[in-house]
Amino acid sequence: MTKSADILATAQQRGKDNALPYAGALTPQEAYALLQSDPNVKLVDVRTNAERDWIGRVGIAPEQHLAVQWTLYPGGAPNPEFLSQLAQAADKNTTLLFLCRGAVRSRHAAKLATENGYVHSFDILEGFEGEKDADGHRKNVNGWCKAGLPWVGA
């Protein structure tokens, strides 16, 4: 994977193969490589502010890291301002990579973004912390952190 076009083609093919309702899906490693190779790509972290503060954040260039909560803390209510906040952060032609804890909210966010004209919306598979292990802990099975990609925090 030396070119962003190759990474995007792989992600788009994965999207077609799995009939995803958005542009495609990337592994954490592919997402990081794409962010490194194309400064115009933006990662949209849809976790709550509390999750980012208490658990950690991706370690990428600040201008590529957007924070738009899918749900609100406390309580987990849907963020009624999600689309307007996304519109303030990125235009509809930007390549957006959606990330959450375990790749559930990010899929919903990528779908909603696509339905609202963000045609280059991708999900980051596995999420920031990944799936739970046998003891119920995260960051041990898969995800951004387990892949050894840069992050800061707890």
Side-chain angles (χ1 to χ4, degrees):
M1 276 184 254
T2 57
K3 295 170 44 174
S4 55
D6 294 334
I7 297 168
L8 288 172
T10 298
Q12 290 166 336
Q13 187 60 52
R14 192 176 287 126
K16 288 177 187 172
D17 292 347
N18 293 290
L20 300 177
Y22 38 84
L26 301 107
T27 66
Q29 296 89 336
E30 290 166 343
Y32 183 68
L34 182 59
L35 288 158
Q36 294 299 295
S37 67
D38 187 344
N40 297 311
V41 173
K42 310 283 185 207
L43 183 145
V44 183
D45 191 332
V46 300
R47 296 176 300 145
T48 66
N49 292 336
E51 286 176 285
R52 282 190 299 281
D53 290 345
W54 297 338
I55 296 169
R57 306 167 186 260
V58 294
I60 61 173
E63 59 275 7
Q64 288 183 285
H65 186 209
L66 310 176
V68 183
Q69 300 177 102
W70 180 252
T71 57
L72 304 174
Y73 178 85
N79 178 4
E81 303 299 320
F82 179 80
L83 286 172
S84 63
Q85 292 171 355
L86 184 61
Q88 291 172 8
D91 69 49
K92 292 188 176 184
N93 292 315
T94 303
T95 298
L96 301 174
L97 314 181
F98 290 89
L99 177 75
C100 68
R101 178 181 63 190
V104 174
R105 289 171 286 177
S106 58
R107 289 193 306 254
H108 295 299
K111 181 179 183 287
L112 183 64
T114 299
E115 292 169 350
N116 285 275
Y118 295 87
V119 295
H120 306 289
S121 295
F122 294 84
D123 177 43
I124 300 177
L125 301 166
E126 304 171 12
F128 182 71
E129 293 183 86
E131 299 171 68
K132 291 180 181 178
D133 65 18
D135 296 321
H137 301 130
R138 295 187 187 267
K139 297 184 183 172
N140 297 319
V141 175
N142 57 17
W144 185 279
C145 297
K146 173 67 176 166
L149 301 173
W151 64 283
V152 294

